[in-house]
Amino acid sequence: MIIKKIKYMLLISFCFMAFQAVSVFGAAPSQVAYFSIAEGFDTAKSYEATFDATRVISGTADKGASVTITVYDPDVVADGSCSKLSSYSLVVGQSGIFRQTIDLKLGKNLVVVTASYNGETVSYSTTINRKESQIQSDLDGIIVLPGQKYAFNYTAK
């Protein structure tokens, strides 16, 4: 019984000392430890296609992190860099969640999402190719039965 009490006291003392060490010396300054994109594009893909004129980019990041979403036109290059179409800046609040609707032009849109916190920066990017809505209408009207071959050629007007 006495040995159990001693073990229990040692455990409490150890926990108290560990807590004191953290609270007295403080934690190291936090870097961008937590940044992920939940919606808007797949970070594992470098290219996507859509018919939508807008896209919602959302995710999570450290509280207080600055999140910048920049949309470039990769087909227009000036001075060695892509032409910037739009930029959106957010500061992540208490919830750790960010969300922004971005506009997409017809054709290729290079989307770069960057989180910055305490001098550390993490970025994700992808190219989203916005297709004409007429293509979607044409595709919606196609009926292909199993076993049939169908060739669909689309030429932009």
Side-chain angles (χ1 to χ4, degrees):
M1 184 74 159
I2 293 178
I3 294 176
K4 283 185 179 181
K5 285 183 181 181
I6 292 173
K7 285 182 182 179
Y8 184 73
M9 294 296 280
L10 286 173
L11 178 64
I12 290 174
S13 298
F14 175 78
C15 291
F16 181 77
M17 286 187 296
F19 177 78
Q20 284 296 326
V22 169
S23 63
V24 169
F25 298 112
S30 177
Q31 304 300 317
V32 177
Y34 189 67
F35 174 50
S36 67
I37 297 175
E39 177 186 19
F41 66 83
D42 185 347
T43 58
K45 294 181 180 178
S46 62
Y47 182 86
E48 295 182 33
T50 188
F51 295 108
D52 300 328
T54 61
R55 179 69 66 101
V56 175
I57 307 287
S58 67
T60 55
D62 294 310
K63 179 185 126 201
S66 294
V67 174
T68 304
I69 304 170
T70 309
V71 182
Y72 297 95
D73 184 343
D75 293 331
V76 178
V77 178
D79 301 327
S81 61
C82 297
S83 174
K84 185 190 299 185
L85 297 172
S86 57
S87 186
Y88 309 85
S89 296
L90 313 158
V91 175
V92 178
Q94 187 71 28
S95 68
I97 298 171
F98 65 91
R99 178 180 172 90
Q100 179 66 50
T101 301
I102 63 169
D103 295 318
L104 301 172
K105 71 166 188 73
L106 279 173
K108 294 179 184 174
N109 298 268
L110 174 62
V111 180
V112 180
V113 183
T114 305
S116 299
Y117 189 68
N118 283 346
E120 226 17 67
T121 301
V122 177
S123 292
Y124 294 109
S125 65
T126 194
T127 299
I128 301 174
N129 191 355
R130 180 178 161 213
K131 304 286 187 175
E132 292 184 38
S133 59
Q134 181 61 43
I135 296 172
Q136 184 178 21
S137 297
D138 291 344
L139 291 172
D140 286 344
I142 295 174
I143 298 173
V144 179
L145 299 174
Q148 286 185 325
K149 292 183 182 180
Y150 184 84
F152 178 75
N153 294 320
Y154 180 80
T155 54
K157 296 174 187 171

